[in-house]
Amino acid sequence: MPRTSSASCASSRCSTPSFRAAYDAALGQWPGPVEAVDLPTPYGVTRVNRCGPAGAPPLVLLPGGGATSTVWGACAAAGAARTHRVHAVDLVGDPGLSVPEPGRPIRAVGDLVGWLDAVVDGLQDGPGPHGPVTLGGHSYGAWIAAHYAARRPARLGRLVLLDPTRVFAGLRPGYVLRALPVLARPTPERIRSFLAWETRGAALEPAWLRLQEETARFPGVRPVTGPRPDLAGLAGRQVDVLFAERARCHDSGRAARAAREALPGARVDVLPGVAHHALPLTAAAEIARRVF
């Protein structure tokens, strides 16, 4: 059974006091009230922050790699939480308040699918709408969402991919080279510098930026890698894909063309003037208008 929680995670791995303070500050900017629940899964306890009408259609959102569920507050405030019950998930092993199960790491796509199965089951264990959910993700979270949709199409009513990486196009070598120092030895300074470069100096929300800097102190876990998802089985299903025009991680125009070829019935758009890492924050109103 899921349990409502307002206390700090019991595991020392979960966060430092400064990380938790930054996390709470970012979460405090969400449209209230926000309910935090901890869902047991075979791979650990998963923190989900949710808001919006309890009887509204469920919207499950996965953040990008190295981010947390709090990144979805801007989209919730822009309108997603008016039309949906928003369930924003902290990825197990990534920064956040989810706690991995000792000796049960997530190492492959199949593990991610099993973990997300348990999350969706947990969210539907109680009153409220059951059945297919809308699943959305940004960046690495979109890669996870796409793999889940490919393997569990019956569980999805709709799929939303925001600037997905390694789904329709590979990563640019220059982006990988700039990201390697941050991945190898993250520091607040390196994180800040990388985000300034990737977003081309965009004004980022201060509470979110502080939280990103705090992730440097979070124990690192190697992300799951693998092939691109096979989306052939999603033909005829409702899929929305939004790319960030100024993304440095891939060529957004080329990725959009590949998405249209792979999913002929999908709604695919490129949002002008926005970068990859800034997308859920600076383009929240446009995202909410187009897809939520």
Side-chain angles (χ1 to χ4, degrees):
M1 291 288 289
R3 57 184 185 272
T4 303
S5 175
S6 60
S8 296
C9 178
S11 169
S12 60
R13 188 200 181 283
C14 186
S15 64
T16 64
S18 59
F19 176 90
R20 183 56 192 266
Y23 184 100
D24 288 344
L27 193 62
Q29 297 189 347
W30 279 41
V34 179
E35 179 187 14
V37 295
D38 292 323
L39 301 177
T41 79
Y43 299 93
V45 176
T46 299
R47 170 60 59 92
V48 180
N49 292 303
R50 56 193 185 185
C51 65
L59 169 62
V60 180
L61 295 173
L62 307 178
T68 71
S69 60
T70 66
V71 74
W72 295 110
C75 286
R82 291 194 294 270
T83 56
H84 293 80
R85 179 67 164 169
V86 174
H87 303 275
V89 181
D90 280 345
L91 303 178
V92 169
D94 263 24
L97 301 187
S98 293
V99 184
E101 180 69 19
R104 192 73 186 274
I106 293 179
R107 289 178 172 165
V109 171
D111 297 331
L112 286 170
V113 172
W115 164 73
L116 200 46
D117 269 337
V119 170
V120 173
D121 288 341
L123 293 174
Q124 297 187 336
D125 185 7
H130 290 187
V133 302
T134 295
L135 178 64
H138 170 238
S139 188
Y140 175 60
W143 183 81
I144 297 173
H147 271 289
Y148 188 78
R151 298 193 184 199
R152 299 287 191 270
R155 303 208 70 176
L156 263 67
R158 186 178 178 198
L159 177 65
V160 177
L161 305 177
L162 301 182
D163 216 36
T165 49
R166 299 185 298 116
V167 175
F168 304 106
L171 296 175
R172 281 174 164 160
Y175 175 86
V176 174
L177 287 174
R178 290 294 293 251
L180 280 176
V182 181
L183 296 173
R185 190 172 68 83
T187 66
E189 294 75 21
R190 287 183 173 184
I191 291 172
R192 190 184 313 115
S193 175
F194 176 75
L195 289 173
W197 170 77
E198 198 286 322
T199 63
R200 304 172 194 263
L204 299 174
E205 204 283 319
W208 179 82
L209 183 57
R210 178 190 167 206
L211 177 57
Q212 288 305 114
E213 292 172 0
E214 284 293 331
T215 65
R217 300 177 176 87
F218 201 92
V221 173
R222 184 181 181 86
V224 174
T225 58
R228 297 180 188 177
D230 180 3
L231 302 180
L234 297 182
R237 293 189 173 271
Q238 190 171 0
V239 182
D240 294 274
V241 190
L242 291 180
F243 289 97
E245 180 200 29
R246 306 192 75 191
R248 292 188 187 267
C249 56
H250 50 216
D251 182 320
S252 57
R254 182 178 299 175
R257 290 191 293 272
R260 294 186 184 103
E261 292 175 4
L263 296 167
R267 294 195 304 177
V268 181
D269 287 303
V270 179
L271 295 184
V274 63
H276 175 77
H277 288 278
L279 182 63
L281 301 166
T282 60
E286 190 66 13
I287 292 169
R289 185 183 72 81
R290 291 177 183 241
V291 300
F292 298 142

